[in-house]
């Protein structure tokens, strides 16, 4: 079936949705561009209309049930708690590519996810997704005078250790939320600062990925600086891709887009606090504490990938490879 025909079919199926709250959720999702949203869900299901329709309906139900439309008016408070989340879930916006795509930096290897409850990490991740879709991408589209609906992600594997296994459940939950409710939002994943352990896992995981996903992943040499400079300016490079010695980081925190002090996180946090004030003026029963969000069941294929990573990590641990990574072992 031609892509155009698939789009028409999905569009008419979505127009048939009678539930008002689901209609409202769809509006909040597409931000004035329903076609691009329908296309993302079709791409994610290889242009199979009935599968894309089910995926989109499930997503709208998830948004309504978990009140995702209002998640940006639920700031994580107090600020010390939010800072702890930011210090242990390393993610931020480092800038824009030359084509205007937001560049999202993720510290995969050094995120510890151990300073707050799981709910807060999930809430914070979804808030970043929603802020990207409702604020960052519309602003980029306006600035670059074309519709921009995707971003680039640069994943830093520095410090990846076996202890990452402790977080695999949470990381799987986060990626399941992304795959099922924010599909096709990332144009390309650039993976940098790759330790041996990642390479070993990558060999096993790569064959399990769908072609569509494989094409999006690029493992770069070293910190990836030279490759990334072809598509973005130096100012947009994530801090972990720069070759500066420690001496030259006089404004290190400001350059470090993971930090709560970085302008992006300040803007996002202030935005959630302003939205909370607006919400309270409308309905003063705002609750503090973490938001509980249901995590959908992962696709069987994705569940298999998570299991493979887990068993590969265990295998590497048993083979004593960790000794070579962590230096000589005291006490034999």
């Amino acid at each position: 079936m031609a892509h155009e025909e698939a789009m028409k079919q999905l569009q008419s199926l979505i127009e048939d949705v009678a539930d008002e709250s689901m209609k409202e959720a769809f509006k909040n999702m597409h931000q004035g561009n329903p076609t691009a949203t329908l296309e993302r869900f079709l791409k994610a299901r290889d242009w199979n209309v009935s599968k894309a329709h089910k995926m989109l309906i499930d997503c709208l139900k998830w948004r309504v049930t978990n009140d995702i439309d209002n998640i940006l008016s639920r700031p994580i408070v107090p600020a010390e708690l939010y800072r702890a989340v930011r210090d242990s879930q390393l993610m931020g916006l480092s800038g824009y590519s030359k084509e205007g795509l937001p560049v999202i930096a993720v510290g995969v290897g050094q995120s510890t996810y151990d300073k707050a409850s799981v709910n807060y990490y999930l809430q914070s991740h979804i808030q970043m997704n929603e802020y990207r879709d409702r604020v960052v991408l519309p602003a980029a589209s306006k600035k670059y005078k074309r519709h921009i609906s995707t971003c680039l992600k640069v994943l830093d594997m520095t410090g990846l250790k076996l202890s990452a296994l402790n977080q695999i459940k949470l990381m799987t939950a986060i990626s399941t939320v992304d795959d099922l409710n924010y599909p096709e939002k990332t144009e390309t994943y650039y993976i940098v600062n790759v330790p041996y352990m990642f390479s070993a896992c990558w060999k096993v995981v790569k064959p399990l990925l769908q072609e569509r996903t494989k094409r999006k992943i690029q493992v770069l040499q070293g910190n990836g600086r030279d490759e990334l400079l072809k598509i973005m300016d130096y100012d947009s490079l994530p801090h972990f891709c720069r070759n500066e010695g420690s001496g030259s980081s006089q404004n290190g925190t400001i350059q470090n887009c993971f930090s709560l002090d970085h302008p992006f996180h300040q803007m996002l946090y202030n935005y959630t606090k302003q939205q909370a004030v607006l919400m309270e003026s409308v309905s003063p029963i705002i609750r503090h504490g973490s938001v509980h969000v249901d995590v959908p069941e992962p696709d069987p294929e994705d569940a298999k990938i998570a299991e493979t990573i887990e068993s590969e990590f265990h295998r590497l641990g048993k083979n004593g490879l960790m000794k070579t990574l962590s230096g000589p072992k005291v006490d034999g």
Side-chain angles (χ1 to χ4, degrees):
M1 187 191 336
H3 289 178
E4 220 168 285
E5 183 53 34
M7 290 284 284
K8 272 187 196 150
Q9 285 190 21
L10 184 57
Q11 194 160 0
S12 73
L13 285 168
I14 292 301
E15 280 165 5
D16 289 346
V17 170
D19 186 299
E20 283 306 320
S21 52
M22 279 167 76
K23 279 183 172 170
E24 193 55 38
F26 186 55
K27 258 192 219 159
N28 269 320
M29 253 177 94
H30 68 58
Q31 293 290 315
N33 197 320
T35 323
T37 300
L38 297 175
E39 191 179 346
R40 286 193 296 111
F41 281 80
L42 280 162
K43 271 186 186 169
R45 289 295 173 260
D46 293 318
W47 295 89
N48 177 316
V49 177
S50 64
K51 285 183 180 175
H53 177 239
K54 182 189 182 316
M55 184 188 191
L56 183 46
I57 293 293
D58 287 346
C59 170
L60 295 175
K61 285 179 182 165
W62 174 81
R63 292 185 72 88
V64 172
T65 309
N66 296 287
D67 197 22
I68 300 297
D69 288 346
N70 291 317
I71 201 163
L72 283 175
S73 49
R74 301 288 303 277
I76 294 175
V77 286
E80 296 75 58
L81 174 61
Y82 190 56
R83 184 177 291 279
V85 170
R86 291 278 51 83
D87 287 347
S88 49
Q89 179 181 40
L90 305 179
M91 194 173 180
L93 179 82
S94 66
Y96 294 83
S97 75
K98 291 172 185 175
E99 292 182 345
L101 272 63
V103 177
I104 294 174
V106 188
V108 178
Q110 292 178 325
S111 289
T112 53
Y113 295 105
D114 59 353
K115 292 188 164 52
S117 73
V118 168
N119 286 349
Y120 283 118
Y121 290 114
L122 206 50
Q123 177 182 348
S124 166
H125 184 84
I126 293 168
Q127 284 179 336
M128 272 193 263
N129 281 353
E130 292 292 318
Y131 188 75
R132 171 198 67 198
D133 294 351
R134 298 192 223 173
V135 179
V136 175
L137 290 168
S141 301
K142 208 170 166 183
K143 183 179 173 185
Y144 289 86
K145 296 185 174 53
R146 66 184 189 87
H147 180 64
I148 295 174
S149 61
T150 56
C151 61
L152 304 175
K153 283 191 177 169
V154 186
L155 311 183
D156 179 22
M157 294 292 163
T158 303
L160 188 68
K161 292 187 199 71
L162 265 186
S163 56
L165 269 183
N166 306 337
Q167 283 85 45
I168 204 149
K169 272 199 171 59
L170 175 58
M171 286 156 95
T172 306
I174 286 174
S175 70
T176 301
V177 164
D178 279 355
D179 292 344
L180 298 183
N181 299 302
Y182 302 91
E184 299 296 317
K185 273 287 172 188
T186 305
E187 197 79 18
T188 314
Y189 296 89
Y190 296 98
I191 301 181
V192 302
N193 297 321
V194 169
Y196 173 79
M197 207 169 114
F198 173 82
S199 315
C201 276
W202 182 234
K203 274 195 195 104
V204 185
V205 170
K206 196 179 179 181
L208 301 177
L209 299 175
Q210 293 177 340
E211 273 312 311
R212 197 183 65 253
T213 310
K214 254 184 250 184
R215 282 196 297 271
K216 288 183 179 184
I217 298 173
Q218 293 190 30
V219 180
L220 303 182
Q221 285 274 301
N223 65 10
R225 175 191 156 139
D226 297 344
E227 282 300 305
L228 291 171
L229 283 174
K230 293 175 188 168
I231 51 168
M232 65 187 77
D233 294 331
Y234 186 80
D235 288 348
S236 290
L237 265 190
H239 56 285
F240 50 79
C241 297
R242 302 178 179 201
N243 287 341
E244 295 157 356
S246 50
S248 63
S249 60
Q250 62 264 28
N251 57 351
T253 1
I254 299 307
Q255 284 175 356
N256 179 346
C257 65
F258 298 154
S259 164
L260 178 52
D261 301 316
H262 187 271
F264 166 71
H265 283 301
Q266 283 296 310
M267 273 160 53
L268 191 164
Y269 197 42
N270 287 331
Y271 182 88
T272 58
K273 289 192 284 189
Q274 283 158 7
Q275 293 298 309
V277 171
L278 290 173
M279 263 290 270
E280 271 178 330
S281 63
V282 184
S283 54
I285 41 162
I286 201 101
R287 296 178 310 283
H288 289 311
S290 69
V291 172
H292 175 78
V293 175
D294 300 322
V295 178
E297 275 298 306
D299 274 1
E301 282 177 19
D302 294 337
K304 188 181 170 191
I305 290 167
E307 273 171 33
T308 307
I309 293 172
E310 204 163 342
S311 62
E312 191 56 19
F313 265 51
H314 282 308
R315 191 187 69 75
L316 289 170
K318 279 201 193 96
N319 285 359
L321 277 171
M322 295 307 103
K323 289 180 202 166
T324 54
L325 294 181
S326 55
K329 232 177 149 189
V330 189
D331 257 334

